[in-house]
Amino acid sequence: RRVGAASMAATASMAAASRRARALGDRCQLQCQRRLNQRRVCAPRAGSDDRDTRSKSEDELTVSQASIDAIKARARVADGDLKVGLDDYREKWRVPWSGATVALGLVGWCVSFVGVAAIGFPLALSRAHIDPSAFTPVEQAEYLLAVQVVETVVSLSVVYACVSRHLDVVKDAKNDWFTIDFSEPFESEKGWAKYGLLGYGTTFLVLAATSFAMEAVDNAQRSGAPSAAANQIAEQAPGTIDGVLPLIQSDDPTALVAVLTVTSVLAPLLEEVVFRGFLLASLTKWLPTPGAVLFSSVLFGLAHLAPRDFVELVVLGMVLGFSYARTRNLLTPMMIHSLWNSGVLIVVAAAIKGGFAKELGIPGF
């Protein structure tokens, strides 16, 4: 009974404090408004004195208004009206287009991606009588960069074409569509750089936990004795790093710079706009935001055509998706994506040069 009485007393005290805070805020606002009105009536009418008086009064009102807002915010916290935490990750986007538009956007992106890399550029090289198999590693890296630039431009144009009929909604800042905002990078609530660094650190933790869990399950299924055939199949499955391994082994730093530009600048820009900015946000029309994060992450993993790394790509996609849902700023997942890709490439390149690639389990060594 004493505990219950204490709890009721604490609740009553909190409610009373909240009422007093709101009342104080209302009184402060009323007094500030009256003071401003009096100064406007009594202030001199002519010249710079009148402007200085009005400016001073408005500045005082701005400061007072900030204090009032702070008091009311504390009152809302006391009342439990201010929702934070998980609610920030559940908020949906306002989606004006249909599922057909989403499907068309994804199909259009796939077609443009394949069309540029597998048809357009090879056909252009063929007509110019250029054999890409004779390229040096540096020329291969430069070719990859050129392909990625065109793919990025074409794919972003496809996304723009899909949403162009709803530009009034997309351009409305309060709807948070495709936002890329460099201001306030370390703001406490939605700072893009703050959550980018947090997301980057989180990526290491969740991928390490994922790898440990996958290894434990794999060992349990094989009764602790992995078969050589199973290991060989797993190693032969393509991974995300396979395509660039021959390029970063070059002694010419130009190749590494070109590959880093592709993987750490252009790929994050393109993939975050498509998979987070367009797909994830659109899916919130039919799914709760966490469900949209998961579904878009699965498609993100599938799109890389890297079965060996599929689970890790899905987990990475979820970190990217939740970071975007938190900040509503594409710079956050772009930053995480860029840091992760560049970090992996630099470590792999250093391992190859240092002769310890085999110890790190890098394929082909």
Side-chain angles (χ1 to χ4, degrees):
R1 285 195 298 269
R2 286 195 295 270
V3 172
S7 176
M8 292 176 62
T11 302
S13 175
M14 184 179 293
S18 173
R19 288 194 296 271
R20 287 195 297 271
R22 286 197 301 271
L24 177 59
D26 293 338
R27 286 200 299 272
C28 288
Q29 188 171 18
L30 182 59
Q31 290 173 2
C32 289
Q33 189 62 47
R34 287 177 177 173
R35 191 157 55 246
L36 179 60
N37 291 338
Q38 290 172 357
R39 292 191 179 188
R40 283 176 174 169
V41 172
C42 299
R45 298 293 183 183
S48 61
D49 292 340
D50 186 26
R51 289 192 297 271
D52 293 342
T53 301
R54 288 198 304 270
S55 177
K56 182 178 179 181
S57 299
E58 291 171 357
D59 290 343
E60 290 179 355
L61 181 60
T62 300
V63 174
S64 300
Q65 185 63 45
S67 301
I68 292 168
D69 292 341
I71 292 171
K72 290 186 174 181
R74 287 195 294 271
R76 288 195 299 271
V77 170
D79 278 344
D81 293 334
L82 186 58
K83 294 184 178 181
V84 294
L86 292 178
D87 285 349
D88 293 320
Y89 295 91
R90 295 171 179 161
E91 185 179 356
K92 295 188 174 187
W93 276 260
R94 179 190 171 193
V95 184
W97 43 79
S98 65
T101 300
V102 179
L104 180 62
L106 289 180
V107 171
W109 170 74
C110 291
V111 170
S112 65
F113 202 82
V114 173
V116 170
I119 300 176
F121 269 79
L123 184 61
L125 291 178
S126 176
R127 287 179 174 269
H129 304 290
I130 298 175
D131 182 10
S133 63
F135 284 169
T136 65
V138 173
E139 291 172 337
Q140 291 176 8
E142 293 172 344
Y143 176 75
L144 176 65
L145 177 59
V147 171
Q148 185 65 47
V149 168
V150 176
E151 284 178 342
T152 300
V153 173
V154 174
S155 299
L156 294 181
S157 300
V158 169
V159 173
Y160 179 82
C162 289
V163 303
S164 59
R165 292 170 50 191
H166 307 278
L167 289 182
D168 55 332
V169 176
V170 172
K171 291 183 177 181
D172 191 340
K174 68 172 182 271
N175 292 325
D176 297 322
W177 277 105
F178 305 107
T179 300
I180 297 179
D181 184 4
F182 287 89
S183 65
E184 299 182 325
F186 292 99
E187 192 265 332
S188 61
E189 290 298 321
K190 293 183 180 294
W192 62 269
K194 171 189 171 181
Y195 282 95
L197 293 174
L198 287 174
Y200 183 53
T202 301
T203 303
F204 285 94
L205 298 177
V206 295
L207 286 179
T210 301
S211 178
F212 178 80
M214 290 174 61
E215 185 176 353
V217 171
D218 191 50
N219 289 337
Q221 290 177 343
R222 299 173 185 174
S223 302
S227 65
N231 285 337
Q232 186 177 6
I233 292 173
E235 291 176 358
Q236 290 177 348
T240 52
I241 195 70
D242 296 355
V244 298
L245 273 179
L247 309 183
I248 60 179
Q249 295 181 54
S250 171
D251 293 329
D252 192 331
T254 304
L256 180 59
V257 171
V259 174
L260 280 172
T261 303
V262 170
T263 60
S264 304
V265 179
L266 296 174
L269 170 63
L270 171 59
E271 292 174 9
E272 295 314 308
V273 169
V274 172
F275 287 98
R276 255 60 67 177
F278 176 66
L279 178 60
L280 188 160
S282 296
L283 289 174
T284 61
K285 183 173 184 177
W286 303 277
L287 297 172
T289 301
V293 169
L294 175 59
F295 191 83
S296 62
S297 298
V298 171
L299 294 182
F300 174 72
L302 292 172
H304 282 78
L305 302 176
R308 189 176 70 233
D309 301 327
F310 173 72
V311 175
E312 289 84 354
L313 286 167
V314 173
V315 172
L316 174 61
M318 293 183 69
V319 174
L320 298 170
F322 280 118
S323 70
Y324 179 49
R326 179 67 179 86
T327 63
R328 301 301 176 107
N329 189 343
L330 281 171
L331 284 177
T332 306
M334 285 179 184
M335 177 181 178
I336 300 170
H337 200 154
S338 177
L339 288 174
W340 181 259
N341 283 0
S342 58
V344 169
L345 273 181
I346 290 172
V347 168
V348 170
I352 293 173
K353 299 297 182 184
F356 53 91
K358 183 177 180 180
E359 286 75 5
L360 291 184
I362 296 175
F365 291 89

